[in-house]
Amino acid sequence: MNSQKLISVVVPAYNEEAVLDAFHQRMSALFDTLAAYRCEMIFVNDGSRDGTQAIIDRLCDADPRVAGVNLSRNFGKEIAMTAGLDHARGDAVVIIDADLQDPPELIVDMVREWEAGYDVVYAKRTAREGETWLKKATASAFYRLMKRVSRVAIPQDTGDFRLMSRRAMDALLQLREQHRFMKGLFAWVGYRTKAIEYRRDPRAAGETKFNYWKLWNFALEGITSFTIAPLKLATYLGLATAGLAFAFGTWIIVKTLVFGEVVQGFPTLMVTILFLGGVQLFFTGVLGEYLGRIFNETKNRPLYFTQDVRPSRVGGGGRVPTVRAAADRAGLA
Ligand code: UDP
Ligand code: MG
């Protein structure tokens, strides 16, 4: 039985054939420098339509430190990460993108902070290379908004690249909601947290999987998962409008009693009707966003299905997290 601590690195991969070999090479070199630990990298194939799975299979055959989880279809990055985390046995678990935008070398610093007693060590970007100003501006606006409306402090300019201790991971894995805004969930579990800074590199190869429509939906997911502020906004806006309408109504009645009734005010009427109609439709939509999510949660489906799972062959067995065992019993693996 090997008493060295195990570090699991979880890598979600969707159509990443162009970059996986380079990623594996760089991560292996890093593992060699982490000689005091046992290390494994777990590739999660998120229903790729290219040669990603063939590469993962080949890497699994050739390298005992590689594990593969093959999902039954594309579930999206948040769920792909969750699948990888479910299968990670490490005393510490790292999440990293496959495209080498997150420099693996930073893991050494993360491990140092973890050994110093931190449960969550996340990487904060000081610069993002190779991204458009529009993406940077919208991302920054989103984080500022989240900070204002949510009670959970979601760190700004932070992706999913982070290390979590076993206990933080076991806490996280108990959150099985369908709408998984992982950045928020990471923050929600709490524990001692430390940020380390880095410059985000451009993609090594391949293309981004996130267009603006996806990012918009991602932002909606973040907001609706972590705050009911939009619903409260409807309450207060409604209250204010009703107050104003009451005052205005009183004025009209008094005016009619004093000066008599002259048919006038068509523009006022139109503006009022259209404005109120618009506001009502908008907030019906907001209600719908929440209602739809309740609908999805109540179905209580498993988060994903796997076609096949190939554990790594790092020695020493590692431990099967309790939550993981529960997921096994529920037939999720
Ligand atoms: N990814 C995934 N499933 C998806 C979309 C993306 O597993 O449906 C993975 C992708 O392979 C990569 C990571 O998520 O490892 C980040 O994706 P990408 O680089 O496209 O996002 P960006 O860095 O542009 O935000
Ligand atoms: Mg990327």
Side-chain angles (χ1 to χ4, degrees):
M1 177 82 191
N2 196 330
S3 63
Q4 283 178 326
K5 290 180 185 166
L6 176 67
I7 297 175
S8 304
V9 176
V10 168
V11 194
Y14 176 54
N15 296 343
E16 299 286 7
E17 63 179 2
V19 75
L20 274 191
D21 276 308
F23 177 91
H24 171 254
Q25 245 170 36
R26 205 156 139 198
M27 192 53 88
S28 300
L30 181 85
F31 281 1
D32 294 338
T33 68
L34 285 168
Y37 300 90
R38 291 176 298 135
C39 300
E40 62 174 3
M41 55 184 117
I42 304 169
F43 290 105
V44 182
N45 175 21
D46 186 14
S48 301
R49 278 182 295 261
D50 64 357
T52 298
Q53 185 56 35
I55 297 178
I56 295 175
D57 280 333
R58 172 161 54 71
L59 293 175
C60 280
D61 290 337
D63 184 348
R65 296 187 292 197
V66 174
V69 175
N70 190 8
L71 300 186
S72 58
R73 64 169 170 87
N74 178 256
F75 284 91
K77 185 184 177 190
E78 312 296 300
I79 286 183
M81 279 193 280
T82 309
L85 300 178
D86 279 340
H87 289 85
R89 299 169 301 139
D91 300 290
V93 181
V94 176
I95 303 159
I96 189 169
D97 285 359
D99 57 5
L100 293 172
Q101 274 192 296
D102 308 323
E105 293 70 28
L106 217 62
I107 294 175
V108 176
D109 299 316
M110 292 181 171
V111 168
R112 191 181 313 120
E113 299 295 347
W114 168 54
E115 290 289 8
Y118 287 99
D119 287 281
V120 180
V121 187
Y122 64 85
K124 196 174 161 69
R125 320 181 262 253
T126 54
R128 301 176 89 171
E129 312 272 339
E131 313 234 47
T132 62
W133 69 266
L134 187 61
K135 182 157 179 185
K136 285 190 238 182
T138 45
S140 135
F142 170 68
Y143 286 113
R144 278 202 305 273
L145 177 72
M146 280 304 284
K147 197 174 172 178
R148 293 200 51 177
V149 297
S150 151
R151 279 157 42 101
V152 186
I154 297 172
Q156 272 191 47
D157 296 323
T158 302
D160 297 312
F161 185 25
R162 67 189 63 221
L163 175 148
M164 292 179 92
S165 67
R166 185 75 257 166
R167 68 171 177 175
M169 193 46 69
D170 282 345
L172 178 77
L173 291 180
Q174 290 182 47
L175 311 180
R176 305 305 290 186
E177 57 227 67
Q178 302 283 328
H179 289 273
R180 306 183 72 72
F181 181 67
M182 291 300 281
K183 279 188 252 244
L185 299 184
F186 292 139
W188 191 86
V189 299
Y191 293 107
R192 291 192 68 198
T193 300
K194 168 98 181 179
I196 52 180
E197 298 196 329
Y198 78 114
R199 296 174 68 83
R200 186 153 221 240
D201 295 328
R203 247 180 183 276
E207 279 172 8
T208 175
K209 314 294 181 294
F210 291 91
N211 54 31
Y212 280 104
W213 177 242
K214 274 196 179 176
L215 285 173
W216 162 249
N217 281 303
F218 184 65
L220 272 189
E221 207 73 274
I223 291 168
T224 50
S225 303
F226 280 88
T227 173
I228 54 166
L231 297 177
K232 289 191 176 158
L233 187 64
T235 310
Y236 293 110
L237 202 69
L239 216 60
T241 319
L244 286 176
F246 185 75
F248 188 53
T250 313
W251 157 243
I252 290 178
I253 291 170
V254 171
K255 203 176 72 165
T256 314
L257 288 177
V258 177
F259 299 107
E261 158 85 345
V262 190
V263 178
Q264 247 182 357
F266 179 70
T268 322
L269 204 62
M270 282 313 285
V271 169
T272 314
I273 289 176
L274 291 178
F275 175 73
L276 285 183
V279 169
Q280 280 173 354
L281 271 182
F282 174 70
F283 280 106
T284 310
V286 171
L287 274 179
E289 292 287 338
Y290 283 92
L291 186 69
R293 283 171 175 80
I294 297 173
F295 171 63
N296 286 335
E297 296 295 347
T298 52
K299 286 188 277 192
N300 205 9
R301 291 182 181 162
L303 290 177
Y304 58 85
F305 286 106
T306 54
Q307 310 192 29
D308 57 304
V309 178
R310 299 183 61 175
S312 70
R313 285 162 276 137
V314 289
R319 40 208 264 215
V320 179
T322 38
V323 180
R324 177 75 211 109
D328 270 332
R329 279 197 300 279
L332 295 187

